[in-house]
Amino acid sequence: MAHQLPDLPYDYAALEPVIDAQTMKLHHDMHHGAYVKNLNAALEKYPNLQSKSAEDLIRDLNAVPEDIRGAVRNNGGGQVNHSMFWKIMKPKGGGDPSGPIADVITKTFGNFKDFQTKFNEAGVKQFGSGWVWLAGKPGGEVQIVSTPNQDNPISQGLFPIFGNDVWEHAYYLKYNNRRPEYLAAWWNVVNWDEINQRLKAFQSQREPALAR
Ligand code: MN
């Protein structure tokens, strides 16, 4: 199989009480598992695409044959989004951001609290299923964006520094219809070290482009 379901980097119960073990098990094993399975199934007809990373597939969806484009968009997006999601969370995470991400947030949004408020609002307002992101722009600035379904900012030429999953499958067992409560609690499991690594990747990806 071209694409694999990555292991969770911690136990199902590790993010409790913010995210309950049953949600984590269903979300990782069943939902993420299905995206991987369906992505592999879509690529069966196209062996030449099987060596491409999921990121590369969704970066240029127009290059994907039309008959599997929708499946790759949804399931390739599901693979990329969730592979990031497990890593940008950790037990005993959260707290104030530190390092370069703290500077970027302060510079762009004034302070961490105002950034959180805007990020949570964008997550609440995303109608139906989707994601809320801090994304890097080609010019080097960052912005909050939300995307429907499993769309990833990569497909709009943006860099996904981090994002939160606002599909009901991410929170409904514990928070029911209270998405704002989930969004507010989620900051307590954020892994700022991993987010700083992703910010670094965004910034170093830009440098060669500037030199051209
Ligand atoms: Mn999800």
Side-chain angles (χ1 to χ4, degrees):
M1 287 292 121
H3 298 275
Q4 311 269 344
L5 177 63
D7 288 336
L8 264 190
Y10 34 73
D11 295 338
Y12 296 121
L15 303 183
E16 289 198 352
V18 175
I19 306 180
D20 58 287
Q22 194 189 0
T23 295
M24 288 300 290
K25 185 168 171 48
L26 289 167
H27 198 174
H28 174 269
D29 297 7
M30 309 311 284
H31 291 277
H32 189 178
Y35 298 127
V36 174
K37 189 172 163 245
N38 293 335
L39 176 61
N40 284 324
L43 296 173
E44 250 165 41
K45 260 177 78 181
Y46 295 96
N48 59 319
L49 294 181
Q50 289 170 4
S51 57
K52 274 193 156 194
S53 70
E55 282 90 350
D56 284 345
L57 288 168
I58 63 168
R59 185 173 285 119
D60 187 8
L61 283 164
N62 287 326
V64 174
E66 206 180 343
D67 62 328
I68 61 164
R69 193 175 297 153
V72 168
R73 179 178 182 168
N74 292 333
N75 297 293
Q79 165 71 322
V80 173
N81 296 349
H82 291 88
S83 298
M84 169 209 71
F85 190 55
W86 314 128
K87 289 205 234 163
I88 59 141
M89 301 190 290
K90 68 170 186 182
K92 301 194 179 78
D96 287 340
S98 58
I101 190 68
D103 299 337
V104 165
I105 287 171
T106 305
K107 192 177 154 218
T108 312
F109 302 96
N111 61 67
F112 179 47
K113 249 204 149 52
D114 287 352
F115 165 65
Q116 280 180 303
T117 302
K118 288 187 177 121
F119 187 96
N120 291 355
E121 275 172 10
V124 169
K125 280 185 194 151
Q126 170 57 40
F127 183 75
S129 298
W131 290 73
V132 54
W133 305 90
L134 182 70
K137 298 199 271 189
E141 312 84 35
V142 299
Q143 67 180 138
I144 294 167
V145 294
S146 61
T147 55
N149 306 313
Q150 293 297 350
D151 286 359
N152 183 292
I154 290 178
S155 306
Q156 307 169 35
L158 301 171
F159 188 100
I161 298 169
F162 72 96
N164 191 3
D165 188 342
V166 300
W167 282 59
E168 286 183 347
H169 68 222
Y171 65 85
Y172 210 87
L173 291 180
K174 181 178 167 84
Y175 297 91
N176 306 141
N177 59 325
R178 302 185 303 279
R179 190 191 285 185
E181 212 177 287
Y182 159 70
L183 278 157
W186 180 75
W187 296 101
N188 292 308
V189 291
V190 161
N191 181 348
W192 291 116
D193 294 335
E194 178 68 18
I195 291 169
N196 267 313
Q197 290 302 313
R198 296 181 63 87
L199 176 65
K200 213 161 125 191
F202 165 59
Q203 289 169 338
S204 59
Q205 173 191 284
R206 288 192 60 248
E207 277 155 22
L210 287 175
R212 257 182 238 135

